[in-house]
Amino acid sequence: MAKRIALVEDEPILQQNYSMALKKSGYEVMVYGDKKNALLAFQNRLPDLVLLDIGLGDEPEAGFEVCRELRQKSSQLPIIFLTALDSDFDIISGLRLGADDYLTKDISMPHLLARISALFRRMELLAATNEPDDKLEVGDLTIDNERLSVKWMQQLVDLTVTEFWIVAALANKPGHVKSRDQLMQAVKAVVDDSTITSHIKRIRQKFQTIDPKFDHIDTVYGMGYRWNNRA
């Protein structure tokens, strides 16, 4: 069955271009031009992935609102912001709301398709390789690979799919430094350095919501990140 992609974009030319390219790649595509219609459709059925613009019509931050509501419905739905805005503030805001990736509209179509394919591949590989009791425990951290869930001190940490893979990659070898390139390989994703950095910041914030003293993800300057097990 073809993967179902929702494209939330208000520019007709871009709607047509993206839709045609996605359909040629074998995806089923649903197009929504504004926040209202997109959210109405998502109440009935969630897609397999969402491509989301930030500014929709006369609402400059409508995409952020759509992302927030989608995350309330599903912590694992892949969400990619595809927008003309490329400021650090917008990127961080998008990732903070739970997006898996943030791309600008000058990205080439092959590159966009590769990023979409990478997100789907991660989900498929995880579903195919993990056993029902495949869990990892590192101190107060518990990772359930079957359910794509992470608990800290017995409390669920509400991570996106990308965030889950980053935590799993780090915690699998505590004390070992993972470079940004290694993290990208581990999560089967094609993202840039700034995106990895933003994800790490967001992951720390989510753990600190549960445990304000959380400090188990170290930044090793010039090298990458590591999970530490200090008490």
Side-chain angles (χ1 to χ4, degrees):
M1 182 180 295
K3 296 291 187 183
R4 182 184 177 96
I5 294 179
L7 172 63
V8 186
E9 167 62 58
D10 63 343
E11 296 183 35
I13 293 178
L14 292 179
Q15 288 178 353
Q16 182 178 3
N17 290 345
Y18 291 135
S19 182
M20 288 179 59
L22 292 168
K23 288 178 180 178
K24 285 182 179 179
S25 294
Y27 297 115
E28 180 183 352
V29 183
M30 305 301 296
V31 180
Y32 308 102
D34 56 51
K35 178 182 72 175
K36 179 181 178 181
N37 286 321
L39 291 178
L40 282 174
F42 298 151
Q43 287 178 3
N44 297 321
R45 177 183 177 184
L46 288 178
D48 296 306
L49 182 144
V50 179
L51 287 174
L52 181 59
D53 194 3
I54 293 178
L56 298 170
D58 58 358
E59 298 183 84
E61 296 189 352
F64 288 153
E65 296 174 27
V66 173
C67 182
R68 186 181 296 109
E69 294 205 26
L70 284 171
R71 273 292 165 253
Q72 292 175 355
K73 295 178 181 295
S74 171
S75 63
Q76 298 178 12
L77 173 67
I79 300 174
I80 299 177
F81 273 113
L82 187 62
T83 176
L85 304 175
D86 62 354
S87 71
D88 289 342
F89 174 79
D90 291 311
I91 294 171
I92 292 171
S93 296
L95 297 176
R96 182 177 295 134
L97 289 172
D100 292 284
D101 211 343
Y102 188 109
L103 309 175
T104 55
K105 291 180 179 178
D106 58 358
I107 189 172
S108 69
M109 198 60 70
H111 195 176
L112 172 61
L113 293 171
R115 304 281 271 258
I116 292 171
S117 178
L119 278 172
F120 281 140
R121 188 164 60 250
R122 279 187 289 161
M123 299 294 291
E124 292 166 356
L125 286 173
L126 188 65
T129 58
N130 287 306
E131 297 298 327
D133 296 325
D134 188 4
K135 293 184 179 180
L136 172 68
E137 294 187 3
V138 181
D140 289 322
L141 179 73
T142 302
I143 297 176
D144 186 328
N145 288 306
E146 181 195 16
R147 294 177 175 82
L148 284 177
S149 67
V150 169
K151 289 184 178 180
W152 179 253
M153 302 173 67
Q154 303 302 314
Q155 295 187 57
L156 186 66
V157 186
D158 189 19
L159 301 178
T160 67
V161 175
T162 298
E163 292 166 351
F164 170 86
W165 278 85
I166 289 174
V167 171
L170 291 171
N172 189 51
K173 291 188 176 182
H176 290 241
V177 177
K178 291 278 189 179
S179 69
R180 289 179 175 84
D181 285 342
Q182 288 174 320
L183 286 177
M184 284 188 274
Q185 293 171 12
V187 302
K188 314 293 191 300
V190 184
V191 296
D192 55 32
D193 285 357
S194 63
T195 302
I196 290 290
T197 301
S198 296
H199 280 308
I200 291 289
K201 290 179 180 178
R202 182 58 176 161
I203 289 167
R204 286 178 176 139
Q205 290 171 355
K206 289 185 176 182
F207 276 91
Q208 288 166 356
T209 298
I210 296 172
D211 175 11
K213 296 182 179 180
F214 176 86
D215 64 348
H216 291 266
I217 299 178
D218 294 335
T219 298
V220 183
Y221 293 98
M223 297 180 65
Y225 304 94
R226 71 182 168 206
W227 185 275
N228 70 68
N229 255 348
R230 56 176 171 262

